[in-house]
Structure formats: C-alpha cells, structure tokens
Amino acid sequence: MAKKYVYEFREADHRNKKLFGGKGASLIQMTKLGLRVPPGFIITTEACKDFFTPRRAEIEELEALLMKQPPPEVRDAAIKKLFSIIDSLDMPPGLWDSVVEYMHRLEAEAGRKFGDPENPLLVSVRSGAAVSMPGMMDTVLNLGLNDQTVKGLAKQTGNEWFAYDAYRRFVNMFGKIVLGIDDKLFSGVWEEIKRKYGAKEDPEVPVEGLKEAVERFKAIIREQYGEFPQDPWEQLRLAIKAVFRSWDNPRSIFYRAANKITPDVADCTAVNVVTMVFGNMGWDSGTGVVFSRDVATGENKLYGEFLPVAQGEDVVAGIRTPMDIEEFRKRFPHLYDELYRGVKLLEKENKDVQDVEFTVERGKLYFLQCRNAKMTPLARVKTAVDMAKEGVISKDEAILKVSPDHVLQLLYPRIDPKANAKPVAKGLPASPGAVSGQLVFHPDDAVKWAREGKKVLLARVETKPDDVHGFYAAVGILTSRGGMTSHAAVVARAIGKPAVVGAESIEIDEAGKALRVNGQVLREGDWVTIDGNTGNVYIGVVPTVEPELIPELDELLKWADEVRRLGVRANADQPDDAAIARKFGAKGIGLLRIERMFRRPERLELLRKVILAENKEERIKHLEPLYKMLKGDFKEIFKVMDGLPVIVRLIDPPLHEFLPKPEEVLQQIYEAKAGGRDVKELEWLYNRVKALQEANPMLGHRGVRVGVTYPEFYYYLSKAILEAAAELKREGHNPIVEIMIPQVSDVVEIRYVKEHGILPALSDVEKEFGVRLSVKIGTMVETVRACLTMDKIAKEVDFISFGTNDLTQAVFSFSRDDAENKFIPQYLELKILNADPFETLDVEGVGKLVELAAKTAKEVNPDIEVGVCGEHGGDPKSIFFFHKTAVDYVSASPFRVPLARLAAAQAQILEKLGGKGPEAE
C-alpha cells in the first residue's frame, strides 16, 4: 500500500507532533475542542523526509558547511547549490494525487472551488515542525489568486480594495518565498507607491495603488524568474515544495544546530493547507497574537496584540504598531470574551501558557494556531508556580516546566541604580538582562566581530528570520520597530538574549551603519547599553549589579529541595562567595580554594619565601606569620556558613604559579646591572626559581606531594583552619570543618600527611584552646589511580570529592587550556566529541571512573560521604548522571547553586517517570 501522507484535521491525532508537526497538532486539537478553526489538511513530516531522500547525502553535506557559518561568498554559493538540488526534486509518489483529493474535499466543505473565477477558494500553505522554530520556516498566504480569481474575490466579498490587497500580498510572498526573489525589490516598489499616494500606513493606499503594486510585482517576477504562475494548482505545487525547502534554508539549519534540535526530536516539517480567513477585509477584521498569561511578567491576564486590516505576517514583522489586547477588549468585548474562553481552555488542556494566533474576519473569530509560549525566565518561573497553586499542574510538573537555563538567566545582571545613568530612549522590554556591546547593524558583521572576541549589540530597524545567526553572535538586540510578539522579541526570549524592541525614538540607518537619537549620532563600534528588564537604552557602558532571587523562584526551589536526592553545596574562594552561596540555598561549601587568600601582597611575599626556602627551619620561620594572616579569612567564612559543612582544600596548584617567571627576574638583573646596583640577591632568586622550575608542573610538585615533601606546610595550613574553628566554637558558633587533601594517587600519601601534618595540628589546637573539634579528613579524587584504588583509600578517609576538572584532564590526557583553545572546537564540529568534556561530564570515560569509585567507596566504607566539586557539579546534564551514581552531593559555583538545586530535583522526578534527562520547555 502507498504511504498515507495527507490527513484532515478531524481524522488525525494531536498527540503525534512528530508526524503532524506542532502547528498541525494545534489545528487538530483546536478543531476537536470545538473552537472555530478554518478547515484544512496536513501533509505529514514523512512526506517531507521522503521528498529529500533521493539526494539526502548531498543535502547533508551542504547543511554541515552552512552550520559552520562560512564567509558570505562561500555561504551564498552553498545556498544556491542547496536550493538547486532541492528544486530538482519531485514530490514522493502518491503525494500530489492525495493533495488534489483533499483539496476537492476542502472545496466541498467550504462551498467554493479552487481556481474558480466566480467563487474562488483560497488557502494558506504553512510550515510546522515537531518543535517550535519561530520564523525559521516559510508560509504562503492567499494562495489561489490570479488575474481572474481576484475579480471573483472582489465580487464575492463586495470589497475590491480587500481583494487587491490580498493579491499584492500574495504576489509579493510567492515571489519572495517560493521563487526566492530578494524581498527588497518588492518592498522598495511598495514604499514608492505609498509615497506616490501619500499613504503613511498600508491600509491608506487606494485600490489604484494596489493594482499598480500587483502589476509592478509581476514585472519583478518576470524579470527575475519568468511569468508569474496563473494556474492555482501550479501555485500550490510550488508552494508545498517551497515549504519543504524551508526546512533546509540557512536560518533553519542554524537554528536547529544552535538549539540542539536533532533528528530524533524533529526531522522535517509538515505542511498545513488551510482555508484562508481574512484579517484585511476592513476595520471589523484583523489579526493578532495573544498569550494566556503575560510572557514578560507571568501575570495571569491575557497579553498580546491585535492589528486591524492586516494579515498574520504584519504582526510578527513589526512593520506597523499594533494595539494591545486591552484595547481590543474595549473595541470588541464579545470577541474578547470568546477569545479569553478559548485561550484559557487551551491552557488547561495543554497545562502550559499558550501562544495563540487568531484572525477576525468581518466580526467572526478564528483560531489559527496554538503552542506553548516562549517566555522570559521571570514569567516562566512565576507561571509554573502559579499554575501549580491553581491546581492546573502538579508541583513536580512545575519543577519540570522551568529549565536550569531559565534559573541562570534570572540571575542576569541589571542596571546598577547607583550609576544614575539616564536613558536616551525607551522601547519594549522584550527579553531580560542588562548588557553593553559595540553597535553593529548587520547580522554578518555581528558574527564576524564576535569571532574576533568583541561584544556586539545588533541594532536593526526590525529583524527578519534570516538575521538569526546575528542574534546568537550578539550579546543583545535592539530594534526601532516591532512589538512584544515581533520576531525579534520571540527569538530573543527563546534563546535567552537581552532585547529591547520598538524603541521608536531611535532612527536606525542600516545602510549607513548609524543610529540617531536625541540629536546624537552613534556609529558602528560605539558602545551602547540596553536593559531588557525595563526597555531602557543608554549610550556607553553602564555598570550592572547582580539580582536577588525572586519569591516565586525561591518557592519553586524549596519544592525542588523537597524532591531531590542529591545535596547541593558551593565552591568558594572568599567570604563573599560563601555569603552568596548561602543566600542561594547551598547547604555548605563543597570546595573552599585557599589559593586566592595568598594573593594579597604581604601574604604573597611570605608564601614566596616559604617556597624559596632551602630548609625546614627557614620555611617554618615564614609559615608562622603566614598562617596567622590566613586564620582570619577562614574564621570569616566559617562564620558565614555557621552550622553547615565547609570543606577546605589544602594548597593544590603547582608552586611555580606563586613565583616570578625566570625571564622576569633576568630582566630585573639586567636593569640592576645597568643601574650599577648589587645583583647578588637577584642572582640567587634567579637560580632558585630555575631550580624549582618543572618540565610539566601540572603533573609535578603540587597538591599532596607538597604536603609529603614539606609536611610543615600542611601542618601550618591545617593549624590556621583549626584555630579559626576553635575560636568560633569558644565564641558560641558551630563551625563544621572538613579538610581535603588534593592530588592523591596512593593511600599511603593520605596516611603520611595526616600523621605528619593534619593530626599534629589538630592535637596542638585542641590542647591550646581546650576544645574538642570534630573534623572530617578526606581527599579530592582527581587522579585515575585514586579511582582504581578506592577500595584502599575509602577506608582511610571520612569523605571523597571528585575533582572532575583535573580528572577529565587525566583521563583524556588533555591540557584543558591548550585543548579548549586549540582543538576542542574542531572536535565538536567534526563530532569526534559530542560536548566539551570540561563543561559536560564525559559519561563513557570519566563517568565510568566516577561511578566505579563512588560505588567502591560506599561498599568498603558505608559511612563515607561522596561529593563532586569540579565545574560539572553545576552542569545540568552532568548532575543527572551524578544522580544515578553513589554520589551524595554536588558542589557548584555560587551563582549556579539555584540551577543545581533545580536540576537535581528534575533528575529525581524524571527517574521516577522513566525519563532520560533533566529537560524542560
């Protein structure tokens, strides 16, 4: 049997988004819920896949090239070749016959005939993948119009102006989307006609101007392509192929790559052929986009825009300023009530905030599409919590609604109120975050400048889907036109970029690469700051501050804490880090790095003397004052974390990092000699630094090896830690101190530094202060041998914590700095690696060691505590893996603590549901 490629809305299953696409699924669902939906049918994603199959290998090769964002000349040649290949393809066998059959069914239902000059049926041909890709693929409206049917439409509706407005739109759209003609040719002519007839807005152009536009648009097509197709069936065939082709347009390819939309998630687009309803019939008609809640703030009220005498593309293109939905309510109260009921029904059915497209034709409301809304992180969190409290969703569902990235974005900076900066313009706050960047006016320039390491702000009059690569390259987006549902706003919210849109007091000259505001002219490269939280625009770089946790996020994270198995601690360097971590809900410090404590000049000088000392006595002489300086820092951090565990890692980095470079000392010798000064001390320093130099310091004299060779070093560091705890205990505090030994590869190393450094310090402090200290001693697991000999190590320690950064280096034999700068980007591009192993844990290699060592540790020492303190402790995908092992807690940087709390809960919930990983909208 031939494959079934075509389905009516009534006969399909809206739950099968993979087959029918998101847009098709919404049309099916809305039809079955009894909402007024224009009739139509869906061509499945299977048809699209089979369309590409004959030349799939060539197409995939060109897709891979375009994903690399090659130079414009290479890109344009690749696009030309790609489209040439696609245009040579035929529809899969049986598809066209099915389309014709279903068009005849549609004719019978609508009571109109496709191509009939007296009573024409017009349709839209719309794309729709399994996941939302706003503006990335193509749609054709008003299909079926030609020189004859336009007269029939005018007669049928009694509105010649409307008929020719629809025709000029169709010829323009068909030329741009189906035939691939540059839209600037059409828009240039249209602006010229508007000037000719003194029309500021499109609806003001008289019917004579519309007829002139149609003829001039057809002339453009004749010159660029050939005669405009007058046969509606040929128009439909070409439009379906064009929608298939849009799956592989450059912006769609780039969007899928940037958002990790793999073939198992969405592997082609469906095509929706829908009876046209017209928002441009008159002032009792229009088109709009509405959200079931405010997508900026999360407030429980309809939020959106409506544009009278318009069709759908007018709203998202931002070429005219729409009225907000409150104004729509005042003008059309009965329509608003019907819209409200439908939107809220969809929200309840889909258990999420809905983004609904609708059209009003002569006072009658039609629902055209619904999907889960793209929201600001603030709105995403607030709506999830509110909907759980309202009983629409469960607490677990609320936790899964919010992605860890949403949490991270909520911690984006905002403008520092102390800066007293005065905005020069105000637009709509489309996507949150305050950011400064150098102005660029073209997406290609944004990519080029970003590759050079510059922070760029993309400024456009209005954005188009083809600009998406510039969005990803820029730190923020600014437009002078458009509303909260414009393309710029939707995409910026989707990818988490700060954006201000519709700043109408700003004049943007894209061709001249200039921005004019309040009599000032800014050019490419000038610095501008935007605040996506307020919509304000500033000239220059404005200072920012970190935000606080909003109440709804705090509540959501408390729900997450009730669910998760994994504990969450924080990595810290100083007291401020500890304070932030505690505020964000960390249940202790999983890694206190003491290296930064040495960076103060007087301390660094003493530390250098310790390192350069040639005997034990000399080292002790300098360690005595040094440990007293460090004690105050420890005391402050323990006080901040009072009652919670603090794991202090003894000194870890190679000692050479604290010494001057030999070449620097040599330069000082030359300068001293030239000045006639004595150089004996400098020469001694040079010889000593050279003597301490190592061929591979990261694998040399560092970590526990320093404690073994210089046990007095670990003794005095431990004494500083323990005296701080003893003093606090005497003052009535409850410090919980744990000491961690780094870079261990053999259990004997642990025994040695405990017996010769840590335990003697503990004994001395307890005697001196007359207090009993309960101190855990553990090790950081960051060598392969430590993992493999965990059966011995775990018996000797109270806890272990995986230092996954160094462990990853050891397993891969990579130097992180060299790898990330030299070859990891290429490894990712060539798919040798699926992810940067320093960002997301390598489960197959490093993960196996973690799993084995954690399991072994628990078997030989059931009371042992197992943690992770590398950067992977703040990565959601890595957290999901750790959840499945014997790891007890993860430790993340302070600002990633809320993210880790959420991801750990999502891992627990998804495990219960049989899911694969922490995923959210």
Side-chain angles (χ1 to χ4, degrees):
M1 282 181 66
K3 279 187 181 178
K4 182 170 173 59
Y5 285 132
V6 184
Y7 291 77
E8 286 182 332
F9 300 157
R10 288 184 294 263
E11 63 179 322
D13 182 356
H14 76 274
R15 293 167 296 188
N16 193 348
K17 285 188 179 180
K18 193 84 185 287
L19 185 63
F20 300 113
K23 191 170 293 182
S26 76
L27 288 163
I28 297 163
Q29 183 187 39
M30 292 189 297
T31 298
K32 291 186 175 181
L33 286 173
L35 299 177
R36 191 181 296 109
V37 176
F41 58 85
I42 303 164
I43 301 169
T44 66
T45 57
E46 284 288 332
C48 180
K49 279 193 289 184
D50 291 350
F51 172 76
F52 285 121
T53 296
R55 301 188 72 175
R56 184 75 259 175
E58 295 167 88
I59 290 168
E60 285 177 354
E61 188 178 329
L62 289 164
E63 284 178 350
L65 174 61
L66 289 167
M67 274 185 209
K68 296 175 186 175
Q69 294 188 60
E73 61 276 9
V74 177
R75 178 193 64 198
D76 293 346
I79 293 168
K80 187 175 180 181
K81 185 177 179 183
L82 177 64
F83 283 5
S84 173
I85 290 170
I86 295 172
D87 288 343
S88 73
L89 297 171
D90 291 322
M91 289 189 188
L95 174 57
W96 182 246
D97 290 341
S98 295
V99 168
V100 172
E101 178 194 338
Y102 276 76
M103 281 298 292
H104 289 322
R105 292 190 193 183
L106 204 54
E107 288 175 329
E109 187 171 355
R112 300 174 194 164
K113 194 168 179 60
F114 194 52
D116 188 334
E118 296 297 323
N119 187 27
L121 170 69
L122 304 184
V123 295
S124 62
V125 182
R126 297 171 176 265
S127 58
V131 295
S132 177
M133 295 170 54
M136 296 303 111
M137 293 180 294
D138 291 329
T139 287
V140 180
L141 304 179
N142 308 312
L143 190 138
L145 281 172
N146 59 25
D147 291 349
Q148 300 307 313
T149 56
V150 68
K151 295 172 184 173
L153 182 65
K155 185 177 177 184
Q156 185 186 81
T157 61
N159 189 335
E160 187 182 34
W161 183 94
F162 149 72
Y164 278 93
D165 183 54
Y167 195 17
R168 68 96 186 167
R169 289 169 181 272
F170 172 58
V171 178
N172 181 347
M173 194 174 267
F174 193 89
K176 176 180 73 170
I177 288 169
V178 179
L179 305 179
I181 298 169
D182 189 347
D183 189 44
K184 288 178 184 173
L185 297 173
F186 298 106
S187 60
V189 165
W190 181 239
E191 290 303 318
E192 192 180 309
I193 288 170
K194 281 167 71 174
R195 285 194 297 272
K196 176 180 175 181
Y197 289 94
K200 186 180 177 185
E201 302 280 359
D202 293 359
E204 296 169 7
V205 176
V207 71
E208 294 80 10
L210 298 174
K211 290 179 178 178
E212 182 182 338
V214 168
E215 294 308 314
R216 291 181 66 179
F217 287 178
K218 287 194 294 184
I220 291 170
I221 290 174
R222 189 179 305 116
E223 185 180 322
Q224 299 289 319
Y225 167 81
E227 288 299 327
F228 171 74
Q230 291 285 326
D231 178 4
W233 292 98
E234 178 64 6
Q235 294 172 2
L236 181 59
R237 188 184 69 82
L238 290 173
I240 291 169
K241 285 182 66 174
V243 172
F244 284 160
R245 182 181 67 202
S246 72
W247 175 256
D248 263 332
N249 67 43
R251 64 180 184 267
S252 177
I253 292 168
F254 181 80
Y255 187 88
R256 292 200 301 275
N259 289 277
K260 298 180 175 58
I261 300 173
T262 53
D264 62 308
V265 176
D267 52 3
C268 228
T269 182
V271 180
N272 304 282
V273 180
V274 186
T275 305
M276 278 298 302
V277 287
F278 300 98
N280 59 329
M281 254 190 197
W283 290 100
D284 61 349
S285 305
T287 188
V289 177
V290 69
F291 300 94
S292 57
R293 301 183 189 224
D294 190 320
V295 292
T297 67
E299 190 179 351
N300 189 5
K301 64 174 186 179
L302 288 200
Y303 177 84
E305 296 166 332
F306 178 76
L307 197 57
V309 200
Q311 291 194 322
E313 76 272 15
D314 296 337
V315 178
V316 294
I319 54 178
R320 285 168 56 201
T321 302
M323 66 172 71
D324 65 36
I325 208 69
E326 184 59 25
E327 181 63 25
F328 175 77
R329 183 185 69 80
K330 291 174 185 173
R331 291 196 191 186
F332 309 104
H334 64 292
L335 289 177
Y336 176 88
D337 290 343
E338 185 182 351
L339 180 66
Y340 183 89
R341 287 193 299 273
V343 167
K344 284 299 182 182
L345 174 62
L346 289 166
E347 179 183 87
K348 184 179 177 184
E349 288 289 322
N350 294 314
K351 295 188 170 188
D352 209 342
V353 179
Q354 294 298 288
D355 170 353
V356 178
E357 292 179 18
F358 66 96
T359 284
V360 175
E361 180 186 276
R362 287 182 167 174
K364 188 178 281 190
L365 175 69
Y366 292 88
F367 290 84
L368 304 184
Q369 180 182 353
C370 71
R371 59 189 171 197
N372 292 344
K374 303 288 185 187
M375 289 172 273
T376 65
L378 170 67
R380 175 71 282 176
V381 170
K382 180 170 170 48
T383 56
V385 171
D386 287 351
M387 289 172 80
K389 288 179 173 179
E390 292 162 16
V392 178
I393 58 176
S394 67
K395 285 183 179 180
D396 281 4
E397 286 171 323
I399 290 167
L400 292 176
K401 289 284 181 201
V402 178
S403 79
D405 277 348
H406 287 136
V407 174
L408 201 56
Q409 289 167 32
L410 268 178
L411 304 177
Y412 279 175
R414 55 187 173 82
I415 296 294
D416 186 350
K418 295 177 185 171
N420 291 322
K422 289 190 168 46
V424 292
K426 189 175 178 71
L428 299 171
S431 188
V435 69
S436 302
Q438 291 179 273
L439 280 174
V440 293
F441 296 88
H442 194 281
D444 288 348
D445 293 332
V447 171
K448 179 172 175 286
W449 284 39
R451 281 179 175 163
E452 294 168 3
K454 296 176 181 176
K455 289 175 66 178
V456 296
L457 190 81
L458 179 62
R460 304 284 277 165
V461 175
E462 70 234 4
T463 64
K464 295 181 170 61
D466 288 333
D467 296 342
V468 70
H469 57 300
F471 275 53
Y472 280 91
V475 295
I477 297 100
L478 170 66
T479 73
S480 56
R481 291 187 199 161
M484 291 293 281
T485 58
S486 65
H487 172 263
V490 171
V491 176
R493 282 195 294 271
I495 65 175
K497 296 277 183 173
V500 172
V501 302
E504 294 182 347
S505 63
I506 292 176
E507 181 188 339
I508 293 174
D509 177 3
E510 292 173 3
K513 296 186 176 181
L515 180 156
R516 295 175 180 83
V517 58
N518 289 353
Q520 299 183 70
V521 179
L522 302 177
R523 305 199 179 275
E524 187 175 64
D526 288 341
W527 284 85
V528 168
T529 298
I530 62 168
D531 185 356
N533 305 301
T534 63
N536 287 334
V537 181
Y538 305 84
I539 294 175
V541 178
V542 179
T544 58
V545 293
E546 301 298 340
E548 300 286 325
L549 285 184
I550 61 168
E552 288 83 4
L553 178 57
D554 191 42
E555 186 162 11
L556 184 81
L557 292 175
K558 284 174 181 170
W559 295 350
D561 293 341
E562 294 168 4
V563 171
R564 60 183 168 87
R565 179 192 71 79
L566 279 175
V568 178
R569 300 185 187 181
N571 301 336
D573 292 299
Q574 51 197 6
D576 286 351
D577 295 335
I580 292 168
R582 184 149 198 168
K583 182 178 74 173
F584 285 164
K587 296 301 180 185
I589 299 295
L591 170 62
L592 175 59
R593 294 172 288 240
I594 65 173
E595 290 76 33
R596 192 174 289 183
M597 295 180 185
F598 295 116
R599 293 300 180 187
R600 293 184 192 172
E602 68 279 9
R603 298 180 184 184
L604 184 57
E605 184 183 347
L606 280 171
L607 178 61
R608 283 180 173 177
K609 287 177 179 177
V610 171
I611 296 168
L612 293 168
E614 297 184 73
N615 55 62
K616 181 177 178 178
E617 290 71 24
E618 198 177 341
R619 277 191 293 276
I620 290 173
K621 175 186 164 186
H622 301 304
L623 282 166
E624 278 279 357
L626 181 60
Y627 101 83
K628 290 173 183 173
M629 292 179 181
L630 299 175
K631 182 170 68 173
D633 287 6
F634 289 128
K635 192 172 177 182
E636 194 175 344
I637 290 170
F638 296 159
K639 192 184 287 185
V640 169
M641 302 304 292
D642 194 45
L644 295 175
V646 177
I647 296 179
V648 185
R649 181 182 69 186
L650 298 174
I651 195 162
D652 177 53
L655 296 181
H656 81 280
E657 289 189 10
F658 299 102
L659 297 178
K661 294 185 173 123
E663 56 269 28
E664 291 174 0
V665 182
L666 205 55
Q667 182 64 33
Q668 290 173 16
I669 291 171
Y670 292 147
E671 289 172 0
K673 281 184 176 178
R677 297 190 301 277
D678 181 28
V679 295
K680 275 186 186 177
E681 195 173 322
L682 284 170
E683 285 176 341
W684 174 86
L685 176 60
Y686 175 75
N687 291 329
R688 190 75 182 116
V689 169
K690 284 291 285 181
L692 292 169
Q693 211 171 12
E694 296 176 284
N696 194 338
M698 294 306 289
L699 298 178
H701 194 207
R702 60 176 293 207
V704 70
R705 294 150 219 160
V706 174
V708 170
T709 54
Y710 304 147
E712 60 276 12
F713 210 149
Y714 269 24
Y715 170 84
Y716 278 100
L717 287 177
S718 299
K719 196 174 182 186
I721 296 164
L722 297 167
E723 282 192 10
E727 287 181 9
L728 284 171
K729 194 162 186 181
R730 285 208 307 201
E731 293 168 13
H733 294 283
N734 180 27
I736 302 174
V737 178
E738 304 181 20
I739 295 176
M740 182 158 66
I741 306 162
Q743 289 295 323
V744 166
S745 56
D746 196 294
V747 67
V748 180
E749 292 173 311
I750 297 172
R751 290 191 196 122
Y752 187 89
V753 296
K754 280 172 69 175
E755 291 169 12
H756 294 85
I758 301 169
L759 294 178
L762 178 60
S763 176
D764 289 349
V765 170
E766 285 183 333
K767 284 176 191 171
E768 183 182 344
F769 284 82
V771 295
R772 188 96 178 122
L773 294 174
S774 176
V775 178
K776 289 183 178 179
I777 299 172
T779 185
M780 194 167 181
V781 182
E782 47 199 330
T783 68
V784 175
R785 194 173 189 280
C787 294
L788 297 176
T789 61
M790 189 50 67
D791 56 328
K792 295 182 176 68
I793 287 173
K795 294 174 183 175
E796 191 64 41
V797 293
D798 302 307
F799 69 90
I800 61 170
S801 185
F802 291 95
T804 50
N805 300 347
D806 275 9
L807 187 58
T808 298
Q809 290 194 106
V811 171
F812 277 93
S813 292
F814 284 174
S815 158
R816 178 174 185 174
D817 291 342
D818 293 324
E820 292 194 318
N821 290 327
K822 297 286 195 311
F823 58 84
I824 280 184
Q826 194 170 358
Y827 269 45
L828 295 172
E829 194 176 283
L830 296 171
K831 294 189 166 40
I832 293 171
L833 292 173
N834 293 322
D836 183 337
F838 295 105
E839 292 179 4
T840 297
L841 192 82
D842 161 46
V843 171
E844 293 179 352
V846 182
K848 280 184 181 173
L849 281 175
V850 170
E851 195 168 21
L852 171 68
K855 181 172 178 284
T856 303
K858 292 283 187 182
E859 286 172 350
V860 302
N861 182 357
D863 295 328
I864 199 167
E865 193 174 59
V866 180
V868 172
C869 61
E871 287 179 36
H872 301 97
D875 171 64
K877 289 182 181 175
S878 305
I879 289 169
F880 187 77
F881 171 76
F882 296 135
H883 169 80
K884 294 186 289 184
T885 70
V887 168
D888 296 310
Y889 69 86
V890 294
S891 190
S893 63
F895 280 97
R896 293 186 83 89
V897 163
L899 176 154
R901 291 166 66 192
L902 179 69
Q906 290 179 338
Q908 179 76 37
I909 294 166
L910 284 165
E911 182 183 57
K912 187 169 63 178
L913 297 173
K916 292 181 180 177
E919 298 166 0
E921 288 296 332

